[in-house]
Amino acid sequence: VAYKEAEFNMSQQFETVIGLEVHLQLNTKTKIFCSCANEFGSLPNTNVCPVCLGLPGALPVLNHQALLSGIKVGLALNSQINSFIKFDRKNYYYPDSPKGYQISQYDFPVAHKGFLLIKTGTQEKRIGITRAHLEEDAGKLNHENALNCSLVDFNRTGTPLIEIVTEPDLSSPQEAYDYLNTLKLTLEYLCVSDCDMEKGSLRCDANVSIRPVGTKTLGTKTELKNMNSFRSVKVALEYEIARHTQVISSGGKIVQETLLWNDEKGVTVTMRSKEQAHDYRYFPDPDLVPFTIDYKLVDSIKAELPELPQAKFIRFVQVYGLSDYDAQVLVANQAISDFFEAAVKEYAQAKKVANWMTGAILKEVNERKIDIRELKITPQALAQLIKSVEEGVISNLVGKDVLTEMLNTGKLADAIINEKGLAQVSDDAALLVIIDEIIAQNPGVVEQIKSGKPSAAGFLVGQAMKKSGGKANPKKLNELITRRISNA
Ligand code: ADP
Ligand code: MG
Ligand code: ZN
């Protein structure tokens, strides 16, 4: 006791320990143990059957696709896939869970002992993945204030979930935030979920404790729920760490409990303390036989895993010579990185393509809030546009306008350039007609140039450009003007 008191001296420095539990809804066509549609947004209680309603005598059957997705997630998180798999009942009563238990996995989850590498600041850190297990989601209670009651919607009951649990390896709210972003991106690449936190298809509970710097024993943790964005996970953790520090520094003790984050007020509120904690009385579900997994199945899934974002990032930097920034922006979305590579196949100047992608194209995607594949421009069409600019057929500025037109109409760059007569005029004779007019109109400027102030030529280039309706090739103009004046 004396040692403990000394440990929690006021001047003590504390360090933070965080572990995260992420629930991911899998996008299988049907639910995990029945053939009801796994669909978001249907009318209440339309995607239900005796199995997911928990009617007596109804028997669950494991959805094969959910298992495959679970294995995929496990492999992407560098985990071991258990060869023996079992489902267990987690017993608790709540109105949105009609069976009185949730089918989950207790001691033989689909995957365990994995890790995810995250970049935090400039450092790379390995975050241990304790386990990833399959389970079913609960239904939803809709609180109807006007009716002074709650209505139950069982559509979500039995939706397949995979829960991904980390080791207590995260040391700050920022690291938790970085982990969540890396995890989400990795999961998105697997196409097993839409990973949309707003729709609730990705949810995160955060466990946090503090301990004196340099000590090894974990402090008492609290568990935070109800955060609806990664940013609020970070803010909730910051709040909770400050609270732990204050309680402990003033000689108090942290009570192990589950807290709800109130985003509006920016505070955590007790949901249930450990005394009220459930004893879930896990036991094997007798309706679902344990089974073994053939390593050949695991190998074939492994062989079909897509290139994951971290590997793609490295390849983009090394193979295409992109900056870290460009590579990161492009890799942040699988479809965008595919679009980029398809465009580079057509026009090999990768850095130029990256510039157009991270600039004008992504601006469009973000403004319209659409998937890049919905744009009216193909990677090949973009490549041709960039080529026209780089070969001097049109100026960079005109290129931007052509792109806008392409995005609005779906026409090809060449067609727009021809139709609107946008091709740059590089033809000497045509340009000289304009130049001679400009020279005649600006004798003062010509004098300045002749008396040794060549920078004044810029003004003449600008005037000639205007006269040409923006179509003159500016480099050519500059050359011709300089030559004309020095020969005069
Ligand atoms: P519970 O039984 O309360 O769910 P678990 O041991 O399953 O607790 O851990 C749940 C999560 O909490 C894991 O991510 C784990 O890393 C994390 N965790 C466990 N103990 C602590 C602690 N003392 N401080 C911070 N996180 C912790
Ligand atoms: Mg838990
Ligand atoms: Zn059903």
Side-chain angles (χ1 to χ4, degrees):
V1 175
Y3 172 62
K4 274 226 154 121
E5 275 167 7
E7 250 184 13
F8 290 135
N9 182 292
M10 283 286 287
S11 60
Q12 188 71 60
Q13 291 290 310
F14 296 106
E15 64 185 18
T16 301
V17 176
I18 297 167
L20 299 179
E21 296 164 282
V22 166
H23 286 88
L24 184 75
Q25 265 178 7
L26 300 173
N27 59 5
T28 51
K29 283 207 185 71
T30 55
K31 295 186 179 181
I32 186 167
F33 298 118
C34 63
S35 52
C36 290
N38 175 24
E39 230 169 50
F40 180 81
S42 308
L43 281 174
N45 299 309
T46 51
N47 299 327
V48 293
C49 75
V51 174
C52 55
L53 288 174
L55 300 187
L59 289 173
V61 177
L62 177 62
N63 179 335
H64 188 63
Q65 189 56 50
L67 175 66
L68 298 182
S69 295
I71 295 174
K72 222 172 167 184
V73 170
L75 289 172
L77 299 177
N78 309 294
S79 309
Q80 294 174 26
I81 304 302
N82 266 319
S83 56
F84 177 81
I85 301 253
K86 179 164 80 69
F87 284 90
D88 304 273
R89 292 186 180 181
K90 180 178 179 179
N91 299 280
Y92 67 93
Y93 179 74
Y94 202 68
D96 64 7
S97 174
K99 294 197 296 296
Y101 60 85
Q102 177 194 27
I103 305 178
S104 181
Q105 297 193 286
Y106 186 59
D107 43 2
F108 293 94
V110 60
H112 64 152
K113 294 185 184 152
F115 66 89
L116 186 65
L117 290 177
I118 66 166
K119 234 195 228 154
T120 180
T122 53
Q123 298 217 303
E124 203 161 62
K125 185 168 172 180
R126 185 181 162 123
I127 307 302
I129 304 289
T130 314
R131 53 190 275 138
H133 64 259
L134 290 166
E135 60 185 25
E136 56 179 349
D137 208 345
K140 236 180 180 167
L141 288 184
N142 295 314
H143 306 292
E144 302 284 340
N145 287 335
L147 302 172
N148 194 24
C149 70
S150 293
L151 300 176
V152 195
D153 179 1
F154 290 120
N155 280 348
R156 200 178 68 179
T157 313
T159 291
L161 296 178
I162 185 153
E163 178 175 343
I164 301 159
V165 183
T166 73
E167 290 290 300
D169 285 349
L170 297 154
S171 319
S172 69
Q174 181 63 43
E175 271 185 29
Y177 183 77
D178 294 335
Y179 164 81
L180 287 170
N181 279 306
T182 306
L183 177 69
K184 178 169 185 247
L185 185 56
T186 305
L187 295 170
E188 279 171 345
Y189 267 57
L190 301 177
C191 301
V192 294
S193 169
D194 64 11
C195 303
D196 188 340
M197 229 176 160
E198 272 172 35
K199 279 202 231 159
S201 36
L202 192 156
R203 311 192 280 269
C204 173
D205 300 337
N207 300 270
V208 60
S209 63
I210 61 170
R211 64 182 172 197
V213 171
T215 57
K216 281 279 159 272
T217 340
L218 291 173
T220 303
K221 71 166 169 129
T222 53
E223 180 174 1
L224 311 180
K225 287 180 181 288
N226 200 39
M227 292 81 76
N228 56 17
S229 67
F230 291 168
R231 188 138 304 270
S232 51
V233 171
K234 189 173 167 227
V235 179
L237 282 168
E238 281 162 358
Y239 173 90
E240 194 59 9
I241 291 162
R243 191 182 70 84
H244 281 218
T245 309
Q246 197 176 34
V247 168
I248 292 172
S249 300
S250 55
K253 265 196 183 134
I254 289 297
V255 183
Q256 182 170 339
E257 59 184 346
T258 302
L259 301 152
L260 291 182
W261 172 245
N262 184 323
D263 212 39
E264 265 164 50
K265 296 189 182 144
V267 296
T268 54
V269 185
T270 299
M271 177 177 151
R272 54 171 183 253
S273 67
K274 200 187 179 186
E275 286 71 50
Q276 304 159 274
H278 301 286
D279 171 4
Y280 292 117
R281 297 174 294 124
Y282 278 98
F283 66 87
D285 191 315
D287 290 341
L288 289 156
V289 284
F291 56 93
T292 54
I293 292 190
D294 190 341
Y295 71 89
K296 282 186 201 140
L297 174 71
V298 177
D299 282 351
S300 71
I301 296 174
K302 200 174 203 165
E304 281 165 27
L305 279 185
E307 180 184 31
L308 294 175
Q310 286 157 332
K312 186 172 274 184
F313 171 85
I314 293 170
R315 187 167 60 84
F316 275 19
V317 171
Q318 289 180 349
V319 173
Y320 296 123
L322 300 188
S323 66
D324 282 9
Y325 173 80
D326 282 352
Q328 195 193 327
V329 171
L330 294 173
V331 166
N333 178 302
Q334 201 172 23
I336 288 170
S337 65
D338 288 346
F339 191 106
F340 164 76
E341 290 203 274
V344 171
K345 258 204 181 126
E346 194 78 14
Y347 184 65
Q349 294 217 38
K351 282 191 200 173
K352 299 278 188 221
V353 177
N355 283 344
W356 282 80
M357 292 280 309
T358 57
I361 294 285
L362 285 191
K363 185 163 164 261
E364 190 75 12
V365 168
N366 293 336
E367 272 172 10
R368 297 196 193 187
K369 291 199 169 68
I370 55 171
D371 186 295
I372 193 164
R373 286 164 289 199
E374 294 170 55
L375 289 180
K376 284 192 180 153
I377 186 171
T378 62
Q380 292 73 24
L382 176 68
Q384 280 155 18
L385 168 67
I386 299 172
K387 206 168 155 197
S388 302
V389 172
E390 290 308 316
E391 290 177 352
V393 178
I394 51 174
S395 69
N396 200 49
L397 215 63
V398 171
K400 293 274 150 62
D401 291 341
V402 172
L403 177 63
T404 306
E405 185 82 8
M406 292 170 81
L407 290 165
N408 288 334
T409 63
K411 287 183 187 164
L412 293 178
D414 285 353
I416 296 168
I417 294 167
N418 287 336
E419 232 170 67
K420 302 203 163 180
L422 296 173
Q424 288 192 128
V425 181
S426 303
D427 168 45
D428 288 12
L431 291 178
L432 282 174
V433 174
I434 297 173
I435 287 170
D436 286 342
E437 267 182 59
I438 297 296
I439 286 180
Q441 284 163 11
N442 297 281
V445 181
V446 173
E447 270 321 304
Q448 282 183 5
I449 298 170
K450 280 186 176 165
S451 62
K453 208 182 153 206
S455 61
F459 175 76
L460 297 184
V461 172
Q463 292 296 307
M465 194 65 165
K466 227 190 226 167
K467 193 137 199 127
S468 76
K471 286 191 290 181
N473 180 335
K475 232 168 108 191
K476 205 75 204 224
L477 273 182
N478 208 336
E479 273 171 36
L480 291 175
I481 288 173
T482 318
R483 215 189 309 149
R484 203 68 162 176
I485 291 175
S486 59
N487 289 345

